[in-house]
Amino acid sequence: MTRLVANRRQVVIGLAATSALPNMGFAQSMSPKYGGTLKISHSTRIATLNVMQLSGPAEYPCVDMLYSGLTRIQPGRNSAGPDLATSWEANEDATRFTYNLRQGVTFHDGTPFTSADVVATYEAILDPDFGSPARSVLDVIDSVEAVDDHTVQFNLNAPYADLAISTAHANARIVSAAALAGDRNDLETKPNGTGPFMLESYDSARITRLVRFDNYYMEGQPYLDAVEMHLFPDLAAETANYLSGNVDVMLNVQQADFARIAAAEGSNALRVPAGRYVNVVMRQDQPPFDDVRLRKALAMSVDRQLLVDLVLEGLGRPAYDNILSPEFQYAIETPGIPYDPAAAKALLAEAGYPDGIKLTMVASNRPAIRGQVAIAIKEMARPAGFDIDVEAMPHDTYLANVWRKGNFYMAYWGMQPTEDATFNLLLTSTASYEDTAWFNEEFDELVRRGRSTSDPAERAAIYAEAQEIQLRDTPYIIAMYQDVLTASRDWVEGWIVHPLNRVFFIESVWLNRG
């Protein structure tokens, strides 16, 4: 067997290379001080605390504080390190993995953490009726067995190079077996994890407060007494409260405010290149988006650099419809798509719309970038014959009535840790959040082969072919990659920015108020 010890930087058994992530921000510290309440502002509602099913940007820091996974994405790297598992090992063909669990860990209610909780969590994830987004990434697992109280074995249906990274999935944090055996609706509002903080109060429309868990397995942490998540639906009010010092951290800074926040006295603004993007969703099981010529025409009607300049205020990069940004190990060099309204108009006519076409595009009002991109595309595409009416709506209404149902709308996604996780989030036929009805058997097979291949060169060729199919068919228009922007006051030490925006390491944050 090949063993991965706790301090190795390689992904499991060295099958997938790690990569350093650029310009990740770290607040510097000397001797941490204990106490105080960290106030974090956010602009989107914390709709649920069900770690196994959530997907909202303000929900991720909450569950990162409340729960632990078997492994955890590491600061500054796109690789997995220990969390509730101290080490793991694989057989020769990477179809069976054994995880050695940390001992002496308890849940917030005082019950001990054992292998039974791991088995129950992964059986829930793999249950198609439960609907966990982690399932499409972890469905390579055939079964999970408790070898003893502190050892679990994963039996896979194929070799899988990314298992250690996949067990760090944000929706794969360990939930107690007792909670999963009870009323699972309680997971929405009554989290019981092993993380550094535990829930004191939950008000999704105002303030969610977490307090220090004294029995956290990492001795001496967390440093803070409490963390409060403050909702500000009014973005101007959020910025004003940060600049006045009423909140300590802005979870996400709007592009238009970044320069002002960066220049403000006592403010630390952080910017990290990432694979985050707004994408145009076009359902291909109904006209007019079932015609690739129309999708290509719209793609040619978007001035990508101008979008970066106008909407992102330069805080990002143009993208050319590849779901993989350059930060991914196996991302190919994507051909540019010049802004060419005349060619787009000709292609639109070829698709059967010589006099142009009228469409309604829906955009949620959160985050604001969705509507900004929609309005910009509306104007950019007009010379090509696209008459687009943009319909803005509250985010909760959008989630209930449009997301994964509508045929033309703006979506928004953060960067995923691996190529496999990215493809299985949105593009495969069984993707967790499949929303375009773009079903391509050849693409699905390539993704299956890629996750089972250990040779880096062979894997690169497989993923390159998959990307070429995606670019050929244009299931999405992805016009730009958005930098991750956040800010903290100068008395906040240890605030970390990670491109994935899924892990925050708030147990290491402390307040240095003198």
Side-chain angles (χ1 to χ4, degrees), residues 384-406:
F386 289 94
D387 181 5
I388 300 174
D389 179 37
V390 175
E391 180 184 348
M393 64 177 55
H395 189 62
D396 286 351
T397 305
Y398 161 87
L399 288 177
N401 300 322
V402 176
W403 184 50
R404 304 181 70 193
K405 303 180 184 73

Side-chain angles (χ1 to χ4, degrees), residues 156-167:
L156 312 185
N157 53 43
Y160 187 34
D162 290 334
L163 186 67
I165 297 180
S166 295
T167 53

Side-chain angles (χ1 to χ4, degrees), residues 277-280 282 295-296 298-300 302 304 318-325 334-337 427 467 470-481:
Y277 55 84
V278 178
N279 57 314
V280 181
M282 304 167 286
R295 303 196 299 272
K296 293 285 189 184
L298 185 57
M300 296 163 62
V302 178
R304 291 145 198 268
Y320 301 103
D321 301 339
N322 193 343
I323 201 168
L324 299 181
S325 70
T334 306
I337 303 175
L427 287 178
Q467 291 168 78
Q470 179 223 322
L471 295 171
R472 180 196 69 198
D473 288 0
T474 315
Y476 296 120
I477 293 173
I478 301 172
M480 57 191 183
Y481 302 122

Side-chain angles (χ1 to χ4, degrees), residues 5-320:
V5 296
N7 62 355
R8 277 186 63 180
R9 289 189 173 184
Q10 287 76 17
V11 180
V12 173
I13 65 171
L15 292 180
T18 63
S19 58
L21 297 168
N23 302 324
M24 182 168 166
F26 293 83
Q28 300 302 311
S29 63
M30 295 298 290
S31 299
K33 299 177 182 178
Y34 286 90
T37 297
L38 182 74
K39 297 180 180 180
I40 302 175
S41 71
H42 58 99
S43 61
T44 56
R45 189 169 69 89
I46 300 171
T48 178
L49 293 175
N50 183 347
V51 65
M52 304 180 77
Q53 294 181 325
L54 58 81
S55 63
E59 295 162 3
Y60 286 113
C62 289
V63 300
D64 195 54
M65 291 185 277
L66 291 164
Y67 288 94
S68 306
L70 288 177
T71 54
R72 195 178 192 189
I73 298 298
Q74 295 299 283
R77 305 192 67 82
N78 218 8
S79 61
D83 200 359
L84 291 177
T86 57
S87 62
W88 48 95
E89 55 196 24
N91 64 353
E92 291 302 322
D93 65 354
T95 58
R96 187 174 66 250
F97 286 74
T98 302
Y99 280 62
N100 303 299
L101 306 182
R102 196 177 298 275
Q103 300 188 31
V105 177
T106 62
F107 286 93
H108 295 159
D109 66 358
T111 59
F113 157 72
T114 71
S115 56
D117 303 301
V118 178
V119 172
T121 296
Y122 276 83
E123 286 181 345
I125 289 171
L126 296 172
D127 180 358
D129 294 330
F130 189 53
S132 174
R135 178 174 174 264
S136 64
V137 176
L138 293 164
D139 63 358
V140 70
I141 298 172
D142 261 348
S143 63
V144 188
E145 301 175 14
V147 177
D148 56 40
D149 280 352
H150 297 101
T151 311
V152 292
Q153 180 175 293
F154 290 90
N155 303 304
L156 312 185
N157 53 43
Y160 187 34
D162 290 334
L163 186 67
I165 297 180
S166 295
T167 53
H169 195 289
N171 299 103
R173 311 294 175 92
I174 302 303
V175 179
S176 72
L180 291 167
D183 185 351
R184 291 186 178 180
N185 290 324
D186 287 346
L187 297 175
E188 303 280 338
T189 57
K190 299 175 183 178
N192 179 33
T194 60
F197 295 88
M198 56 187 183
L199 185 67
E200 181 178 273
S201 61
Y202 169 55
D203 182 346
S204 66
R206 189 167 170 269
I207 299 174
T208 295
R209 179 177 167 88
L210 291 76
V211 296
R212 186 181 198 272
F213 178 45
D214 290 330
N215 292 326
Y216 182 50
Y217 75 76
M218 193 175 295
E219 187 175 356
Q221 292 187 333
Y223 302 119
L224 297 163
D225 288 335
V227 178
E228 293 178 354
M229 301 289 295
H230 290 251
L231 175 64
F232 286 91
D234 185 319
L235 298 175
E238 180 183 16
T239 300
N241 273 269
Y242 172 78
L243 291 174
S244 67
N246 289 333
V247 295
D248 306 302
V249 170
M250 282 186 74
L251 187 61
N252 289 294
V253 177
Q254 300 297 310
Q255 283 77 18
D257 294 326
F258 189 77
R260 178 161 62 115
I261 287 173
E265 184 178 356
S267 174
N268 299 310
L270 297 174
R271 171 189 176 188
V272 177
R276 183 166 59 168
Y277 55 84
V278 178
N279 57 314
V280 181
V281 177
M282 304 167 286
R283 284 202 66 89
Q284 290 152 52
D285 56 351
Q286 53 190 276
F289 301 108
D290 56 343
D291 192 324
V292 69
R293 294 171 297 182
L294 184 140
R295 303 196 299 272
K296 293 285 189 184
L298 185 57
M300 296 163 62
S301 304
V302 178
D303 188 330
R304 291 145 198 268
Q305 184 60 58
L306 186 58
L307 269 180
V308 171
D309 295 340
L310 292 180
V311 177
L312 297 184
E313 310 240 349
L315 300 168
R317 298 156 291 167
Y320 301 103

Side-chain angles (χ1 to χ4, degrees), residues 389-448:
D389 179 37
V390 175
E391 180 184 348
M393 64 177 55
H395 189 62
D396 286 351
T397 305
Y398 161 87
L399 288 177
N401 300 322
V402 176
W403 184 50
R404 304 181 70 193
K405 303 180 184 73
N407 73 336
F408 191 41
Y409 62 90
M410 303 300 303
Y412 182 62
W413 292 99
M415 184 178 174
Q416 303 302 309
T418 64
E419 290 82 355
D420 182 73
T422 305
F423 293 146
N424 279 294
L425 182 80
L426 293 171
L427 287 178
T428 60
S429 301
T430 57
S432 299
Y433 296 117
E434 184 280 315
D435 55 5
T436 65
W438 178 69
F439 301 126
N440 186 293
E441 292 182 4
E442 184 181 3
F443 179 86
D444 289 351
E445 177 58 27
L446 287 166
V447 173
R448 282 192 290 269

